[in-house]
Amino acid sequence: MASRSTTGLAALFGVLGTLHFVKPEPFEAIVPKVLPRKKELVYASGVAELACAAGLLHPRTRRLAGLASAALLVAVFPANVQMAADLRQASPKARTIAFARLPLQLPLIRWALKAARE
């Protein structure tokens, strides 16, 4: 059985992965401008998040899913940077949220790596 922490991470990935399909537009907006086929990338990352969520819940796949989750968080970091860059002229609140997300990737990565060791 997964710990509460790992179950929470799986839930986070599950919700975010689902949102990639239900409302892809906000995710498309933050795909770095140099990357083509934004909608396809959003769907691919949604599939990856859902796969990680499912994998985290099963003991046999938890290690691989935790490592994949950490790798996915690293891979989507440029999208968070793009969002922060795009909001430079936005309201102070929007800028603060966007820039605060950047260092939050580190604890999320540690969380995924912790799940991989479970």
Side-chain angles (χ1 to χ4, degrees):
M1 179 158 204
S3 69
R4 290 177 86 178
S5 174
T6 297
T7 301
L9 182 61
L12 177 66
F13 273 116
V15 168
L16 289 173
T18 300
L19 284 174
H20 279 69
F21 294 97
V22 173
K23 190 132 175 78
E25 298 82 11
F27 298 100
E28 288 175 51
I30 64 172
V31 172
K33 295 179 185 351
V34 299
L35 296 176
R37 305 178 69 134
K38 292 175 183 356
K39 185 171 288 241
E40 290 85 349
L41 289 171
V42 168
Y43 288 155
S45 63
V47 167
E49 289 182 357
L50 292 171
C52 287
L56 286 167
L57 295 175
H58 195 283
R60 284 183 149 168
T61 55
R62 189 168 299 131
R63 177 169 168 68
L64 178 60
L67 295 172
S69 298
L72 180 60
L73 289 163
V74 170
V76 300
F77 184 73
N80 292 329
V81 172
Q82 184 68 59
M83 182 177 64
D86 288 346
L87 291 176
R88 284 183 302 218
Q89 304 302 320
S91 72
K93 180 180 178 181
R95 278 195 321 269
T96 300
I97 291 169
F99 281 97
R101 284 183 62 164
L102 298 177
L104 286 177
Q105 290 295 107
L106 289 174
L108 288 172
I109 291 166
R110 281 197 304 269
W111 191 7
L113 294 173
K114 179 183 174 196
R117 293 188 303 269
E118 214 177 85

